[in-house]
């Protein structure tokens, strides 16, 4: 018999919202009420639930608080794991009211009851989404439950969570420990002080973890909450099997990197996934050598239910017969949209078949082009701008170089090659093709936010980056993709805009890539010893308010964002400000109302408890700007003022 997720004594079986789900759970901060359900709505839980897609497991649905928040257009099937049969009648009523009776199945057993789950069609690694909203606090064995949920997810699937966690604040943490002596007995086994975020991270191999405090949340509350998404990693294997998503790790890594590039350079500077953001991309075709030999391209089927995600519009050149990148992108984030171009009739035909099989007609538009056409045909398509381009150009400059490379290998390849010869050769090789792409980007400039390519040779990274620098690009990113510790590829992206990606996204490489090929660091970290976060916040906020910055500090987030039109911290600028020649700090104004071109520098300052638990760690993040000298000057100034002040 499986374990009970939320055990409630038989003598007291009432709807769970009459217990911990609908009680004021902030004893030290009663203004956060009146009910947890209302608080959930304020924290953006409806958007989280609406991002669920494909085949879904909802753990502990109770009487159905979340049922009405699903987007029916994204849902294939929902299984509600609710072992408390006393809640089933109300749950069925909620399901009916939401119009989900045909797709929602109630499963009356625990997540570890493998045989019980199978009776209802619930098996391992078959689910696109696992939804956990305020449940893991009350399960008897949270580590076992988290591991069981991980096993239910498909590789590439997403776990969506909103859970309260152990406070990182020392005083609040001790308050939690004190309350928790009696708390579980009063509130259906709810535990205040579980480190649920860490438990989830350790549940399995995640390709991506994006857990954070809601914007309005204060880490020092008695019951802080985290929300976000965890994406299950694809397993590396020796051969590529296109009926299995585990076979495409480097391709999937490329898509994940694109997500990070866009997430960390969004207009609102949120540094995270926005389920409502609409994005467009282009998957580009490559001019190929022609051969008199005919090749049969077998279509490969990818099921949309393998991944879940958002709307992005992009362009992928050389989509190929499998149409793999657009399928991965749209399945991972349903709101992404692709224009997929190719010059081969058979490739386009098979790509259309795969798009239809996956019901992605509205997300992917295949387009037949000619070798002489622009790589990025925005004008021909009548499109003003897109968010990204992606391409995986052939390595080889000629058929003879391909054959020579194969003959020189003494061992079998670590991964299978799925490309036909005409898909693996382009005149001049990958660097010549990318050089052409760079040339078009010089003309199009910011009509594309991010131009990207995947490269098959480490030597090509140097050639591409040096050409970018020669063309005047100051904002680029380099990423290394590793498949099973053997096969390596490299991603290079560049932008003519000023929004800077997070440092791990822009400089995500191993020791093999020379440091001079990487962009200027967009992160700066220093420690303030002997001072708590509150004291450092007063010092940071006070100093930056005194400068001619647009600066806003949010105490509940221990973070602030600022924008400057130049070096307003220099002695000359401060003297000018004292004379009244410049206006003061524009605190609390919405920086999004101004054109980005007005600002020479955008930055974020985040304060965290120091590693020793006593001091404060100051993390400065470069958000906007093209001048690395100006950015470096600000970082040096801030450290001198805070540490030496």
């Amino acid at each position: 018999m499986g374990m009970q997720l939320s055990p409630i004594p038989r003598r007291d079986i009432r709807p769970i919202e009459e217990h911990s789900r609908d009680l004021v759970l902030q004893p030290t901060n009663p203004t956060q009420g009146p009910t947890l359900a209302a608080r959930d709505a304020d924290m953006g839980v409806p958007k989280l639930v609406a991002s669920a897609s494909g085949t879904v497991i909802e753990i502990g649905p109770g009487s159905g608080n979340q049922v009405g928040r699903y987007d029916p257009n994204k849902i294939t099937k929902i299984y509600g794991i609710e072992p408390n049969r006393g809640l089933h009648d109300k749950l069925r009523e909620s399901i009916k009211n939401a119009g989900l009776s045909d797709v929602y199945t109630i499963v009356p057993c625990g997540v570890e009851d493998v045989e019980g789950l199978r009776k209802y069609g619930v098996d391992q690694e078959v689910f696109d989404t696992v939804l956990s909203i305020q449940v893991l606090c009350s399960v008897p064995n949270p580590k076992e439950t988290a591991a069981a949920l991980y096993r239910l997810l498909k590789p590439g699937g997403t776990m969506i969570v909103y859970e309260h966690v152990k406070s990182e604040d020392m005083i609040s943490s001790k308050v939690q420990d004190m309350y928790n002596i009696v708390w579980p007995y009063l509130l259906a086994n709810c535990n205040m002080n579980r480190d649920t975020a860490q438990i989830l991270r350790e549940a399995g191999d995640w390709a991506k973890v994006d857990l954070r405090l809601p914007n309005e949340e204060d880490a020092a509350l008695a019951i802080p909450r985290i929300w976000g998404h965890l994406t299950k990693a694809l397993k590396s294997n020796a051969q590529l099997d296109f009926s299995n998503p585990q076979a495409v790790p480097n391709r999937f890594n490329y898509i994940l990197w694109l997500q990070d590039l866009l997430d960390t350079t969004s207009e609102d500077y949120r540094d995270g996934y926005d389920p409502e953001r609409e994005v467009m991309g282009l998957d580009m075709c490559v001019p190929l050598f022609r051969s008199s030999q005919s090749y049969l391209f077998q279509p490969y089927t990818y099921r949309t239910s393998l991944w879940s995600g958002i709307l992005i519009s992009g362009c992928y050149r050389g989509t190929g017969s499998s149409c793999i990148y657009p399928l991965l992108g749209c399945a991972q984030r349903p709101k992404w949209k692709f224009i997929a171009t190719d010059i081969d009739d058979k490739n386009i035909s098979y790509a259309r078949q795969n798009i239809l099989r996956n019901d992605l007609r509205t997300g992917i538009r295949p387009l037949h082009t000619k070798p002489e056409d622009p790589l990025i045909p925005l004008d021909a398509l009548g499109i003003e701008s897109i968010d990204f381009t992606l391409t995986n150009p052939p390595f080889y400059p000629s058929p003879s170089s391909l054959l020579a490379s194969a003959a020189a290998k003494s061992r079998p390849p670590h991964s299978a090659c799925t490309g036909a010869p005409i898909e693996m050769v382009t005149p001049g090789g990958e660097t010549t093709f990318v050089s052409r792409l760079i040339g078009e980007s010089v003309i199009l400039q910011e009509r594309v936010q991010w131009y990207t390519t995947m490269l098959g040779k480490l030597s090509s990274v140097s050639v591409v980056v040096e050409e970018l620098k020669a063309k005047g690009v100051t904002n680029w990113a380099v990423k290394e993709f590793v498949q099973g510790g053997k096969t390596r590829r490299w991603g290079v992206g560049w932008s003519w805009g000023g929004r800077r990606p997070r440092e791990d996204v822009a400089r995500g490489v191993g020791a093999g890539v020379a440091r001079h090929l990487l962009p200027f660091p967009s992160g700066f970290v220093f420690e303030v010893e002997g001072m708590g976060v509150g004291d450092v916040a007063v010092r940071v906020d006070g100093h930056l308010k005194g400068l001619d910055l647009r600066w806003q500090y949010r105490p509940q987030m221990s973070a602030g964002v600022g924008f400057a039109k130049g070096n307003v911290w220099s002695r000359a600028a401060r003297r000018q400000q004292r004379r009244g020649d410049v206006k003061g700090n524009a605190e609390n104004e919405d920086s999004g109302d101004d054109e980005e071109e007005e600002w020479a520098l955008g930055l974020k300052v985040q304060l965290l408890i120091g590693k020793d638990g006593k001091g404060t760690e100051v993390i400065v993040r470069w958000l906007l700007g093209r001048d690395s000298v100006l950015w470096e000057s600000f970082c040096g100034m801030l450290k001198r003022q805070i540490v030496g002040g």
Side-chain angles (χ1 to χ4, degrees), residues 289-290 396-404 425:
F289 275 112
R290 288 296 172 183
Y396 302 105
S398 66
S400 60
S401 64
L402 185 158
L403 296 173
V425 175

Side-chain angles (χ1 to χ4, degrees), residues 341-450:
T341 70
D342 206 293
I343 62 174
D344 188 88
D345 290 333
K346 288 186 177 179
N347 281 355
I348 288 290
S349 175
Y350 284 127
R352 285 197 176 105
Q353 291 179 40
N354 279 322
I355 293 167
L356 291 173
R357 285 178 175 143
N358 289 278
D359 195 24
L360 289 173
R361 291 182 296 272
T362 60
I364 305 172
R365 176 185 172 186
L367 180 68
H368 188 275
T369 58
K370 299 177 181 179
E372 62 271 18
D373 289 343
L375 299 177
I376 311 174
L378 297 188
D379 291 333
L381 292 167
I383 297 175
E384 177 58 32
S385 63
I386 59 176
D387 296 278
F388 67 88
T389 69
L390 70 123
T391 185
N392 182 12
F395 305 169
Y396 302 105
S398 66
S400 60
S401 64
L402 185 158
L403 296 173
S405 175
K409 294 179 179 178
S410 59
R411 296 182 180 181
H414 295 296
S415 60
C417 174
T418 61
I422 64 167
E423 295 179 295
M424 299 170 64
V425 175
T426 190
E430 60 185 2
T431 55
T432 298
F433 174 77
V434 176
S435 179
R436 180 181 168 188
L437 180 60
I438 293 172
E440 290 195 15
S441 81
V442 172
I443 298 171
L444 294 173
Q445 294 277 315
E446 294 185 56
R447 290 181 67 183
V448 178
Q449 184 185 358
W450 281 102

Side-chain angles (χ1 to χ4, degrees), residues 543-544 546-550 562-578 582 600-603 622 624 627-641:
H543 181 70
L544 295 184
L547 301 176
D548 184 28
L549 285 170
R550 168 158 290 177
F563 295 87
K565 295 183 178 179
N567 188 342
V568 298
W569 49 88
S570 67
R571 291 181 179 177
R574 284 183 281 132
R575 283 197 300 268
Q576 191 178 23
Q577 186 179 3
R578 284 195 294 269
V582 295
L601 178 68
L603 57 100
W622 191 7
L624 178 69
D627 189 345
S628 61
V629 175
L630 184 65
W631 156 245
E632 191 173 26
S633 171
F634 175 85
C635 293
M637 175 276 299
L638 185 65
K639 183 176 180 181
R640 289 192 302 272
Q641 292 295 327

Side-chain angles (χ1 to χ4, degrees), residues 451-526:
Y451 303 85
T452 74
T453 182
M454 186 157 71
L455 300 171
K457 298 179 180 179
L458 178 58
S459 60
S460 298
V461 176
S462 176
V463 175
V464 170
V465 171
E466 293 298 346
E467 182 170 354
L468 289 173
K469 292 195 287 187
K471 296 293 186 183
V473 174
T474 60
N475 188 10
W476 74 91
V478 183
K479 180 71 173 180
E480 186 173 43
F481 310 126
V482 183
Q483 175 185 319
K486 299 292 185 180
T487 303
R488 294 178 185 272
R489 298 288 183 266
W490 294 267
V492 177
W494 63 98
S495 175
W496 293 96
R499 282 180 246 157
R500 316 296 297 204
R502 202 173 55 223
E503 185 163 347
D504 62 305
V505 179
R507 295 166 59 93
V509 298
V513 178
R515 298 298 101 176
H516 74 276
L517 299 177
L518 302 180
F520 200 86
S522 58
F524 179 70
V525 181
F526 62 90

Side-chain angles (χ1 to χ4, degrees), residues 3-5 56-61 77-85 88 91-92 95 104-111 113-123 127:
M3 72 179 196
Q4 297 294 302
L5 293 177
V56 180
I57 280 281
E58 181 179 357
I59 178 174
K77 184 74 176 176
I78 305 173
Y79 294 84
I81 309 296
E82 181 50 73
N84 189 343
R85 295 176 183 270
H88 287 188
L91 178 56
R92 290 189 186 95
I95 293 168
Y104 200 114
T105 298
I106 300 174
V107 181
C109 64
V111 293
D113 184 359
V114 176
E115 294 305 317
L117 293 175
R118 284 177 179 166
K119 293 177 182 178
Y120 291 86
V122 177
D123 212 336
F127 289 91

